[in-house]
Structure formats: structure tokens, C-alpha cells
Amino acid sequence: MLIVYIIYFIKIFPKIGGININVNMMCGLEIHVQLETESKLFCDCPTNYQEAPANTNICPVCLNQPGAKPYPTNEKALENALMISLMLNCKIDKGFTYFMRKHYDYPDLPSGFQRTSVPIGYEGELNGVRIREIHMEEDPGQYKPDRGIVDFNRSGIPLIEIVTEPDITSPEQARNFLKELIRVLQYSGGARGEGTMRADVNISINGGNRVEMKNINSIKGAYKALKFELVRQKNLMKRGVEVKQETRAYLESQMITVGMRLKEDADDYRFIPDPDLPPMEISDAQIDEVLAIMPEAPHNKVKRFMEEYGIDEESAKVLTSELDLAIVYEEVAKQITPKFAAKWMRDELKRVLSYNKLDFAESGILVDDFVEFLNLLDSKEMTTKAGQRIIEQMPNNKQTPRAIAEELGLLGVVKDDEVLAAVKQAIEENPKAVNDYLEGQKASLNFLVGQVMRLTRGKADPGETVKMLKEEIEG
């Protein structure tokens, strides 16, 4: 009996006597992202709510004024929702799609209910996480409790809600899933991306009660909220306190969660079909039309790049991190060895873009320019070191890579006898670095390579320089 109690005690308390005990975390996500349309879901009001003065992109339908009836559902919103569902490997419900009224009382909801469709897509999958369903909703307005005002410009903008199964078992997996999801949404062109994302995060551990964290508006926020909530629930269990089923708010400035209210169930929302909106039937022809214009999903592009171009998975993921970058890589790979192009685009090009905080589309680098740059390297007209300097100058530069190389004096590779002379000079001028190398400090060799590069203005081949230095030093 004593052994049974000890085993039970260890299962309940995650850490005892310095021994780490695994915690079974279950997490599901409900991700809301605005769809890319020019007008709202049920009226003609524009969707540029962030640019317009408060309460100007509104009409009687947005504000649910007496006698105002919603227009038929925005067809572009439905098309975008269908495309995203298909890109997330969902089955499509070909029956009648209709909107329900989801009732709750909040200042940013003028009607007292939110229109939410029945699932359009279901049983999808992304990165090993099952997607339970995808449906459309109308966005509420923006309530500012500190000022006691509501801006209804956002009210009625079409949303897509993506609901996962509770397959996520760590904050890191949640972060990776959301990154991949945002990439799919960006590829689709049908959604507005992370800037409009709001996620509700559901978490429970060791079979305990489920806690929901509302309106987290970034991938980083979801990760931090899960990390905090995981620790909070573990500490409650250590003290023998039951985790309440509740809704909590994530305070990003403090990186903590605080209680809001007890968790609602579906019955609390009193769902009813909306009598003002006719049902819609999704036909095979409509699905075929979407499939015809649908871009290749990034996770499928990764697999194809690996198979078609013979590159590794990490390179394929980097090259597909942006749709424009993936398109350019395929164009470059028609003229340059795919693996050689992938290496430079993955390592050096992404390094330069990241340093300058640019997406590839913002870099101004053309396919022909990058092909010329790689040809200069491949033909040995410039060294790897020179290439690294030249690529740093390429973003938003109207000069060709060759012109940049000529201006910097980096075109051409010095002869072996010139490199050897530079090697001997570097050794003679830096006896301490030579002694350090001979005493086992291998990093000193990098310093000497740098000196040779300085003396040859970056035109020496780094690999050959290392060989020559070793031969001269080691005798």
C-alpha cells in the first residue's frame, strides 16, 4: 500500500527531490484571422478599418439598426475560406452552409450576437496537428475600456476561425504550428496574416480541467502565455489545488495570465440559425474553380523542392519561408545548379535580408541579377569572401553584381604566388598568433586567414589560404 501511495504522489507532483516528472500537456487552438476582401461580410462597407477615422466605415447593417438586413454573404470571403480549407488538407462540406447567431453581451457587438457559419472545412491536418474545423465569422468592433468608447469600423469584417484538436503537447510545438499556419495563410493570399491574428489557447495538464486564454494576438504571445500557464497549473497541482475550468486573459506587458470568468459551454451561447441569411450550397464546380487558382501550399512545396532539386529539408523550409523567395529560387535553379543556388540563398541572402529587416519582395533583387552573381562565383571570377561583401550591397541597388564588384575592386582572384606572398607576410607580422596556433589555439588560424584576406583585398580563396598557412607554419 505504501508503494501505491508513493507512485500516486510522484504522478501528481511534477518535481520531487530533484527528479523531473513529465507533464502531459494538451493544447488546442482557435485561431481567428481576417480574410482579404475589399468589403465586409454582409454589407458594402470597406475593410480598411485601420486607415479610416473611427466610426466612418459603418452603415446600418454594421450597426444592426432596426430594419437593416444583411446582404448575401460576400462571395470573395467564401472563396478565400474554401481555398484556405483546401490548403490545410480539409474535407469540404458540400451540403448547405448557413450562419448561426452566437449570443453574448459585449459593448463591441451591437446586435448582441455574432454571425458564425457552420464548418466549411473539417478533418484537416498541418504539421501533425489535426484541424477539427474551419468556419467563417464576422469580426466585432473594437472596444477600448480605458476610454469607454467603441470603434465599429472593424465590425462585420470577414474572419476565418481555424479550430485544432488538442494535439499540441508543448509551447514549442504550438509556436512552430502557428508559424507554419501563418505561412500557409500568406501563400493563399486570402487572409491578412499575423497582424490580424487573434488566438484562443486551450490548455490542460495531466487530464485536469481545461483553461482558455483569450485574444492572444501574436505567435510570441501564444508561446509566452502557454509557458506561464503551464507553470501556474503545475504549481497549483503541487499544492493539491484543483485547476478551475475558466477563461483567462493574457497580459502581454507582464507575461502572465489573469482570471476573467468561468469557462462557457456551447449551450451558453444559445446558437440559432440566422433567419435573415439564406443557406449556401458549395458545389463541385465551385471547389474546382478554387483548386484551379489555388497556390501550392508551403508544406507541399517543401516536399517537392527536396525531391525535385535534391536539397535538404532545412534548405527547403528556408527557401519557402516567403512565396516570392520560393518563386525566385525556382527561376534561378533553371540556370544555376540547384544545390549551389540553395546554399547561397539559404545562408547569405537570408542573412542580408534579416539584417536589413526586409522581405525578399522588398529587396529589389531581380532574378537576372542573382543569376549573374552566382555565375561570377561559379566561374571563380570572385571569391566566396568577395561574394559575401557584394551580396550585402545588392538590396535595392540598381547596379548589377558585376558593376558592384568592379567598383569595390573585388573582381578577379589573385594567383597562388600572390596568395603565398600574403601568407608569409601575415605570418611575419603576427608572431603571437602563430605561437598561439602552435600551442593549440586553433582559432588563431582564423585571425591569420583574415590578415591574408586583408592583404589580398578579399581575393584569396579561403580554403586554399588555410592550406597554405598550415603548410608554412607547421613546416
Side-chain angles (χ1 to χ4, degrees):
M1 182 61 72
L2 179 60
I3 293 174
V4 172
Y5 278 122
I6 291 172
I7 293 172
Y8 176 77
F9 190 72
I10 290 174
K11 286 183 177 179
I12 290 296
F13 292 91
K15 187 173 182 180
I16 300 171
I19 300 173
N20 287 305
I21 305 299
N22 289 329
V23 172
N24 295 319
M25 169 182 149
M26 293 177 64
C27 171
L29 303 172
E30 300 170 18
I31 304 107
H32 305 76
V33 181
Q34 290 178 357
L35 293 171
E36 188 63 67
T37 60
E38 293 184 1
S39 58
K40 294 184 180 181
L41 192 54
F42 301 117
C43 69
D44 287 336
C45 290
T47 56
N48 60 336
Y49 68 99
Q50 292 171 320
E51 302 168 11
N55 293 311
T56 55
N57 287 359
I58 55 175
C59 71
V61 173
C62 296
L63 301 179
N64 199 50
Q65 296 297 300
K69 298 295 183 183
Y71 297 8
T73 304
N74 187 318
E75 291 184 7
K76 182 62 176 176
L78 179 58
E79 177 186 294
N80 289 347
L82 270 172
M83 182 181 296
I84 293 166
S85 298
L86 290 166
M87 289 181 74
L88 292 172
N89 305 307
C90 287
K91 300 175 183 177
I92 303 299
D93 189 342
K94 297 178 185 177
F96 283 99
T97 296
Y98 58 93
F99 280 85
M100 307 281 284
R101 290 183 176 182
K102 176 182 177 182
H103 294 82
Y104 64 91
D105 187 23
Y106 208 65
D108 60 10
L109 205 62
S111 60
F113 58 82
Q114 182 182 31
R115 291 184 175 94
T116 302
S117 78
V118 296
I120 294 169
Y122 63 99
E123 293 181 10
E125 185 273 337
L126 178 67
N127 268 21
V129 176
R130 292 172 297 160
I131 295 170
R132 180 184 302 169
E133 65 179 65
I134 296 176
H135 56 262
M136 289 192 295
E137 289 185 345
E138 58 178 347
D139 214 347
Q142 293 173 291
Y143 176 45
K144 300 175 182 178
D146 56 329
R147 299 172 60 190
I149 62 173
V150 180
D151 179 4
F152 287 107
N153 279 349
R154 197 178 70 182
S155 180
I157 287 179
L159 291 176
I160 191 170
E161 181 175 2
I162 301 164
V163 183
T164 79
E165 298 289 356
D167 293 343
I168 296 168
T169 58
S170 72
E172 291 74 21
Q173 187 185 3
R175 179 173 59 189
N176 292 338
F177 172 82
L178 286 169
K179 284 181 179 178
E180 186 66 23
L181 177 63
I182 291 298
R183 203 156 62 120
V184 172
L185 297 176
Q186 289 171 339
Y187 266 59
S188 75
R192 295 186 173 182
E194 187 180 358
T196 67
M197 184 191 83
R198 299 193 299 279
D200 298 339
V201 180
N202 298 281
I203 175 177
S204 64
I205 61 174
N206 292 358
N209 285 323
R210 176 167 58 97
V211 171
E212 181 180 38
M213 294 174 285
K214 297 287 286 186
N215 291 332
I216 297 170
N217 57 16
S218 69
I219 295 172
K220 179 181 178 182
Y223 173 75
K224 295 289 187 181
L226 277 170
K227 292 281 281 187
F228 175 84
E229 189 60 22
L230 192 59
V231 172
R232 187 187 73 87
Q233 292 190 28
K234 284 167 62 176
N235 287 337
L236 286 174
M237 294 178 69
K238 281 183 184 180
R239 301 197 304 269
V241 177
E242 182 182 24
V243 176
K244 291 189 296 185
Q245 179 172 315
E246 63 176 335
T247 298
R248 298 179 67 84
Y250 173 62
L251 305 182
E252 191 161 3
S253 60
Q254 302 174 51
M255 292 191 293
I256 63 171
T257 67
V258 295
M260 292 173 63
R261 57 183 180 270
L262 294 179
K263 180 75 179 79
E264 303 95 337
D265 291 317
D267 291 344
D268 296 324
Y269 290 120
R270 308 186 311 283
F271 283 95
I272 62 169
D274 194 309
D276 292 331
L277 288 165
M280 305 168 291
E281 187 173 17
I282 298 174
S283 65
D284 288 330
Q286 192 172 9
I287 294 173
D288 289 340
E289 288 176 8
V290 172
L291 287 170
I293 62 173
M294 185 176 79
E296 183 180 24
H299 45 282
N300 295 332
K301 197 179 288 289
V302 166
K303 295 175 185 176
R304 182 171 65 80
F305 275 22
M306 293 170 65
E307 295 169 2
E308 189 171 330
Y309 300 115
I311 60 178
D312 61 89
E313 184 177 8
E314 184 59 31
S315 295
K317 285 183 175 179
V318 172
L319 293 171
T320 58
S321 60
E322 304 172 43
L323 180 57
D324 292 296
L325 183 65
I327 292 170
V328 167
Y329 171 70
E330 294 213 74
E331 290 298 315
V332 170
K334 292 176 183 177
Q335 305 175 62
I336 301 291
T337 305
K339 287 186 178 180
F340 183 62
K343 180 181 183 302
W344 274 89
M345 295 182 80
R346 178 198 68 195
D347 296 338
E348 297 303 325
L349 179 59
K350 284 296 286 186
R351 171 181 67 83
V352 172
L353 294 176
S354 177
Y355 177 80
N356 290 286
K357 298 180 180 178
L358 293 172
D359 292 331
F360 182 81
E362 301 168 331
S363 71
I365 297 175
L366 305 176
V367 172
D368 290 344
D369 285 342
F370 208 79
V371 169
E372 179 182 277
F373 170 75
L374 292 176
N375 275 326
L376 289 172
L377 287 163
D378 195 41
S379 62
K380 307 296 183 184
E381 290 188 67
M382 64 183 181
T383 64
T384 298
K385 193 72 175 178
Q388 291 170 337
R389 289 184 60 189
I390 291 166
I391 201 171
E392 291 170 357
Q393 304 298 318
M394 287 177 65
N396 296 313
N397 192 331
K398 293 182 180 180
Q399 291 181 295
T400 65
R402 182 178 288 277
I404 295 171
E406 289 174 348
E407 185 177 287
L408 297 175
L410 296 174
L411 209 57
V413 179
V414 295
K415 297 177 181 178
D416 285 350
D417 56 347
E418 294 178 67
V419 178
L420 182 57
V423 164
K424 290 180 177 179
Q425 183 178 343
I427 290 172
E428 183 180 340
E429 292 176 353
N430 299 279
K432 184 178 184 304
V434 173
N435 290 332
D436 288 344
Y437 174 74
L438 292 172
E439 290 175 2
Q441 297 182 34
K442 303 302 182 183
S444 298
L445 192 65
N446 296 331
F447 171 78
L448 292 169
V449 170
Q451 294 305 302
V452 174
M453 288 297 171
R454 178 181 61 81
L455 293 168
T456 60
R457 299 187 65 191
K459 294 182 180 180
D461 181 85
E464 290 300 317
T465 300
V466 169
K467 290 180 184 177
M468 289 184 182
L469 281 166
K470 286 184 176 179
E471 288 173 0
E472 288 295 316
I473 294 172
E474 296 172 4

